[in-house]
Amino acid sequence: MNSGQVRSGLIIVDKPQGWTSHDVVGRLRKLAGTRKVGHAGTLDPMATGVLVIGINKATRLLTYIVGTSKTYEATIRLGQSTVTDDAEGEVTAETIAAAVTDEEIMAAVAALTGDIQQIPSSVSAIKVNGERSYARVRAGAEVNLPPRPVTVSRFEVHDIRREAGGKLRDVDVTVDCSSGTYIRALARDLGAALGVGGHLTALRRTCVGPYSLAQAATLEQLAADLQVLELDDAARALFPVRELTAAEATDLSHGRRIAPSDTANDDGAPVAAFAPSGTLVGLLENRGPSGGDFPAAYAKALLVFAPGNEAA
């Protein structure tokens, strides 16, 4: 199925509403002419926006992209709770939210900002005893997921307005958050803190790590012109960069250890290593002394993308 016409790289998709992430992967397999396609983090069918797709060798970058921070634009409705914590689920409770003040909303938002413990939505893809949580909920089972630490670095309110004759309140927000944060759960918890319930009515992901809507294309646009962010450019945007000598590029591509990287992050993130030609050779990590032939620190490849004759 691989025609060889599409090189390895990332495709930044502006996912349409109603499509699953798996649907998008299936569509891109046909457009790219290869089965080696994957995505870096699921978007719910209701959500739109940035979905990062890896093609061929670039699928090996997806693990690192999944763990990056995300940015969302969302609308939270106060006064209604749903079984899914979003607008696609059945309403389970309604409470008149007319008395909730803007000041109370802002205070509750502030309490959900920073390092928090969040219970994921029960209709998430988290596995419980080998089965997806959402599948258990749809089968009628009760699911109680444990809280997990997440970071909401920005929870900014843009607009608060009254709906349904004032009975409901809609809140437009921007959220910057760590990987693993559920915006549906933020909507649920905001409503719970205010005593009126809440759910998500709109969600648009605008950034995944360094990749944003400015780089994204719709499926219609991609069908006309398959825009691929080349593997080398994708890695330069995602990781610290080390420029190798020709000898280092050859050594690294053959699995040999080289001198440690000065560009390594304190958080232990890999370093993207490039040959003098500009080709991505691999991802490096620094390691401490191992004794024997390696009494000093060194760098070792986590992944190798280019063979020696291609790297040089």
Side-chain angles (χ1 to χ4, degrees), residues 203-224:
L203 183 65
R204 183 160 176 77
R205 190 157 67 188
T206 58
C207 286
V208 174
Y211 313 114
S212 71
L213 277 175
Q215 301 161 278
T218 66
L219 291 175
E220 291 78 12
Q221 291 170 329
L222 292 169

Side-chain angles (χ1 to χ4, degrees), residues 32 122 230:
S122 60
E230 296 289 344

Side-chain angles (χ1 to χ4, degrees), residues 67-72 114 118 150-155 174-183 186 205 207 209:
T68 61
S69 60
K70 316 290 191 299
T71 299
Y72 297 89
Q118 183 185 73
V150 299
T151 299
V152 179
S153 52
R154 178 167 65 131
F155 195 169
T174 297
V175 178
D176 293 340
C177 56
S178 62
S179 175
T181 305
Y182 286 86
I183 310 303
L186 282 180
R205 190 157 67 188
C207 286

Side-chain angles (χ1 to χ4, degrees), residues 22-280:
H22 183 72
D23 291 337
V24 176
V25 167
R27 179 66 173 141
L28 265 296
R29 281 176 175 156
K30 293 179 180 179
L31 293 178
T34 176
R35 292 201 58 81
K36 200 167 184 182
V37 178
H39 66 77
T42 301
L43 262 184
D44 292 334
M46 185 192 86
T48 66
V50 175
L51 183 66
V52 180
I53 301 293
I55 303 291
N56 294 326
K57 288 183 181 180
T59 55
R60 302 169 77 188
L61 296 180
L62 297 179
T63 297
Y64 301 97
I65 299 171
V66 168
T68 61
S69 60
K70 316 290 191 299
T71 299
Y72 297 89
E73 305 286 343
T75 299
I76 298 169
R77 173 154 291 178
L78 300 174
Q80 290 179 333
S81 299
T82 72
V83 68
T84 58
D85 300 325
D86 64 21
E88 294 195 323
E90 179 185 352
V91 174
T92 57
E94 292 191 71
T95 303
I96 295 176
V100 177
T101 67
D102 290 4
E103 291 75 18
E104 288 172 329
I105 293 172
M106 297 300 291
V109 164
L112 289 169
T113 305
D115 295 329
I116 63 173
Q117 291 287 324
Q118 183 185 73
I119 298 175
S121 173
S122 60
V123 290
S124 67
I126 294 172
K127 286 190 175 181
V128 179
N129 296 326
E131 187 179 8
R132 300 291 184 186
S133 179
Y134 63 76
R136 293 175 67 89
V137 170
R138 289 170 183 167
E142 183 177 347
V143 175
N144 295 303
L145 298 173
R148 56 174 59 186
V150 299
T151 299
V152 179
S153 52
R154 178 167 65 131
F155 195 169
E156 182 179 353
V157 175
H158 300 295
D159 187 35
I160 304 173
R161 57 190 179 276
R162 297 185 182 276
E163 298 291 339
K167 294 180 181 180
L168 306 175
R169 306 215 69 186
D170 278 3
V171 185
D172 294 334
V173 300
T174 297
V175 178
D176 293 340
C177 56
S178 62
S179 175
T181 305
Y182 286 86
I183 310 303
R184 284 177 293 162
L186 282 180
R188 175 202 65 203
D189 293 345
L190 181 64
L194 294 165
V196 295
H199 71 279
L200 205 62
T201 62
L203 183 65
R204 183 160 176 77
R205 190 157 67 188
T206 58
C207 286
V208 174
Y211 313 114
S212 71
L213 277 175
Q215 301 161 278
T218 66
L219 291 175
E220 291 78 12
Q221 291 170 329
L222 292 169
D225 177 19
L226 191 62
Q227 303 167 38
V228 179
L229 180 64
E230 296 289 344
L231 178 62
D232 299 336
D233 296 330
R236 284 186 182 276
L238 187 61
F239 302 106
V241 170
R242 175 174 173 178
E243 304 294 347
L244 302 173
T245 66
E248 288 174 329
T250 299
D251 284 343
L252 189 67
S253 68
H254 288 94
R256 293 190 284 268
R257 303 173 181 189
I258 62 175
S261 301
D262 295 331
T263 53
N265 277 347
D266 292 336
D267 61 5
V271 171
F274 290 85
S277 63
T279 299
L280 175 66

